[in-house]
Amino acid sequence: MSDLAEADPTTATPTPATDPRPRVVGAAAIALAASLVAQNAVVVWTGSPDYAAPLEDVLGFHAEHRTAVAVAVGLEALNLPLLLGFLAGLHGLVVRRGGAGADWSRLALAAGATLSAVLALYAVLWTGVVLAADGAADPSPLLELTWQMHAAAFALTLPALGTTFVAAAMAARASGLAPAWHRLLAGAAGVLLVAAGSAGLAVADGSALLFVGMPGYVAWVVWLLVIGLRLLRPRPADHRTA
């Protein structure tokens, strides 16, 4: 009796109440921020030496806090899929909202992949510091070299993080997922991160220039929490397609 065709469930557009994708991306952002906070809390709580500390202090810390370093490195392994998952999900949301900001989200993905690779090197070298300190009575040339390379790898993460942050915030803003102040926050943080990371050789030698980038790092964690909470709230525009 009815000539009406049944709706094809494979082409039906999710409603804001049922589309889980923004919430998944938001949850990934919040989980990444929480993991970063936990990782840094372990480092601060155990009194990890900075890169200007005497090698005797570096040796003593890593000989006595093997478990703490293992936890921090383990959290780094968790950070990598969370970071890439968040950036890939953000790109998907940008494309589904019409594609405005898609170039920025692609840049964020590329920079995030680079950041992940450098963070992996950073974690491996930190493990190497622990192994070089194991059973050693005095600092060795191997310990010194591994520690300096660990510092240089950390310095290199900063410009990669700055690029990731700026590109992700610009993509979110262009697609209407974030207000204008996100772009301003990311821009200021990105400048600090790139400036600190450009002094990689000095940082490897113990320079305090590393701390120039720390406000930018904190801004990244704050932004992840803010954008994550925004994405957890259903929005009518979240289900638009290109």
Side-chain angles (χ1 to χ4, degrees):
M1 160 175 166
S2 174
D3 294 328
L4 296 176
E6 292 186 1
D8 185 352
T10 63
T11 60
T13 301
T15 66
T18 60
D19 187 2
R21 291 170 296 194
R23 293 185 180 87
V24 171
V25 178
I30 293 173
L32 176 57
S35 180
L36 291 172
V37 169
Q39 185 182 45
N40 283 277
V42 170
V43 172
V44 172
W45 179 66
T46 55
S48 176
D50 60 38
Y51 295 125
L55 276 177
E56 290 76 11
D57 293 349
V58 174
L59 173 62
F61 173 83
H62 289 90
E64 296 173 9
H65 296 90
R66 187 184 182 110
T67 300
V69 175
V71 171
V73 171
L75 287 171
E76 200 65 76
L78 175 63
N79 293 342
L80 299 185
L82 287 174
L83 171 65
L84 295 176
F86 164 67
L87 295 174
L90 179 63
H91 177 65
L93 292 181
V94 169
V95 170
R96 280 189 288 272
R97 291 175 64 86
D103 289 339
W104 284 112
S105 61
R106 291 188 191 98
L107 176 59
L109 272 172
T114 302
L115 175 61
S116 297
V118 180
L119 284 172
L121 176 61
Y122 160 83
V124 168
L125 288 169
W126 200 2
T127 302
V129 173
V130 174
L131 296 177
D134 188 29
D138 298 299
S140 64
L142 177 61
L143 175 67
E144 180 178 11
L145 177 62
T146 309
W147 180 242
Q148 289 179 320
M149 291 179 66
H150 170 68
F154 183 76
L156 191 58
T157 66
L158 299 181
L161 174 58
T163 305
T164 303
F165 187 6
V166 170
M170 292 293 286
R173 172 56 186 163
S175 60
L177 292 169
W181 68 264
H182 284 220
R183 182 173 54 193
L184 299 176
L185 175 68
V191 169
L192 293 175
L193 289 164
V194 172
S198 66
L201 181 58
V203 170
D205 204 30
S207 172
L209 286 171
L210 174 70
F211 294 101
V212 171
M214 291 304 98
Y217 182 86
V218 173
W220 163 246
V221 176
V222 171
W223 183 78
L224 285 171
L225 287 171
V226 172
I227 194 66
L229 290 172
R230 285 182 64 87
L231 290 173
L232 285 177
R233 299 199 302 266
R235 294 157 55 89
D238 285 343
H239 69 281
R240 286 188 297 178
T241 57

